[in-house]
Amino acid sequence: MFIFLILFFVFGLIIGSFLNVLIYRLENKKRKTLWGRSFCPHCEKRIEWYDNIPVVSFLFLGGKCRHCKKKISIQYPLVELTTGFLFALLFVIPNGAMAELGNPFAYINLIFWFFFASCLMVVFVYDLKHQIIPDQVIYTALITGFLYVSMQFALLGDFKYLADHLSSALIAGGFFYILAAISNGKWMGGGDIKLVSFMGLVLGWQGTVISLYVAFVLGAIMGVILLISKKKKFGSKIPFGPFLIIGNFIGLFFGEQLINFYVKMFLS
């Protein structure tokens, strides 16, 4: 098991490096293709493979470009490490791939969850930096999520599963649409509506409720902290996507435990 964890962690580091490229090229409209060699965003010198090893190269170079000596954003190793840890956790916790190493369907699930985590990583960073959720990513996620749920339904033949996931997407998206309409886009934006619809589609009602609860609590706490520290004024816009994504992973990894805890504490 330990060897598989290391392998998936390293795989996550590599995917995280690609996600950094995707984020950068979404930000810079001149770079219309994902293909081509990596380059320094400051001096645009080509980065050789030995300076492009996830995390290791950042540490070895002291967080600076070999050529122009300007600082490399801490975003790069953080995205790589976070993706690595997420991939390792996804192997262990929600989909049973670790317990079913010989089951090919477990790996199909695992591949989808890797895709799911990768999309959310891109959205998290992009929304945090620019307060917008890129349509290219979220529409791809929605289409893939719908295909995944359809495949699961075809395999399981469970109408309850299909109704659960489709209704979760529609209700969560509809709720956010109402918030956006009431506030004229000040509370929620179109990207948030699409993001929460994607989460509802993939997680079902249980995971979605937990994700939304955690997201609103974290958002409220952060809002109070920013107001007290005077970094934001009352009514200032704060990107909500990152809170949704944090809530999503908490719901995905620990949803069942949280529900059991709530039932024992308040309903027993």
Side-chain angles (χ1 to χ4, degrees):
M1 180 185 106
F2 182 73
I3 293 175
F4 278 99
L5 283 176
I6 295 297
L7 287 173
F8 282 117
F9 175 73
V10 172
F11 180 57
L13 293 179
I14 296 168
I15 296 298
S17 181
F18 170 77
L19 298 181
N20 278 318
V21 173
L22 176 59
I23 293 164
Y24 177 78
R25 298 192 183 188
L26 283 170
E27 292 171 340
N28 294 270
K29 304 303 180 184
K30 292 180 181 179
R31 305 289 175 178
K32 294 182 179 180
T33 176
L34 293 177
W35 311 114
R37 295 292 297 272
S38 297
F39 55 88
C40 172
H42 303 293
C43 65
E44 297 197 352
K45 292 281 187 180
R46 190 175 73 177
I47 300 174
E48 300 296 337
W49 69 267
Y50 46 79
D51 287 338
N52 210 22
I53 302 171
V55 181
V56 174
S57 292
F58 180 88
L59 296 174
F60 182 78
L61 293 170
K64 296 179 181 179
C65 172
R66 181 184 291 276
H67 303 287
C68 65
K69 306 303 179 183
K70 289 189 177 179
K71 286 186 177 180
I72 302 169
S73 173
I74 193 67
Q75 168 197 314
Y76 290 89
L78 286 180
V79 168
E80 290 163 356
L81 285 170
T82 303
T83 308
F85 282 117
L86 284 174
F87 277 28
L89 283 172
L90 285 166
F91 175 66
V92 174
I93 298 177
N95 47 59
M98 183 190 72
E100 301 181 69
L101 295 178
N103 183 353
F105 292 111
Y107 285 99
I108 293 173
N109 287 337
L110 190 59
I111 289 168
F112 172 76
W113 289 116
F114 286 166
F115 170 82
F116 179 74
S118 298
C119 287
L120 294 189
M121 278 300 305
V122 172
V123 170
F124 183 97
V125 176
Y126 203 91
D127 196 24
L128 197 62
K129 293 175 72 174
H130 305 290
Q131 297 192 9
I132 190 170
I133 294 173
D135 281 340
Q136 302 97 312
V137 176
I138 199 63
Y139 280 130
T140 303
L142 278 165
I143 292 168
T144 307
F146 179 76
L147 292 174
Y148 174 76
V149 169
S150 300
M151 183 196 73
Q152 290 289 89
F153 169 67
L155 291 172
L156 300 172
D158 187 347
F159 283 96
K160 185 178 178 181
Y161 169 88
L162 185 64
D164 175 21
H165 288 253
L166 291 180
S167 62
S168 296
L170 290 172
I171 292 170
F175 174 61
F176 270 54
Y177 178 82
I178 292 170
L179 292 178
I182 291 172
S183 66
N184 198 26
K186 292 181 180 179
W187 298 345
M188 300 296 167
D192 297 317
I193 297 169
K194 298 165 198 168
L195 176 59
V196 78
S197 297
F198 173 56
M199 290 166 50
L201 182 64
V202 174
L203 297 179
W205 75 266
Q206 179 174 296
T208 302
V209 168
I210 294 170
S211 299
L212 292 179
Y213 176 78
V214 172
F216 279 110
V217 170
L218 290 177
I221 293 171
M222 182 57 66
V224 170
I225 292 172
L226 291 173
L227 286 173
I228 292 173
S229 64
K230 297 183 179 179
K231 291 184 177 180
K232 291 283 185 180
K233 295 180 180 179
F234 189 79
S236 297
K237 190 175 180 181
I238 301 172
F240 196 61
F243 299 111
L244 284 172
I245 291 166
I246 293 171
N248 159 85
F249 284 117
I250 290 175
L252 179 63
F253 292 134
F254 310 111
E256 190 173 339
Q257 293 91 325
L258 288 172
I259 287 177
N260 290 337
F261 174 78
Y262 179 83
V263 169
K264 287 181 182 178
M265 286 291 295
F266 301 104
L267 300 180
S268 297

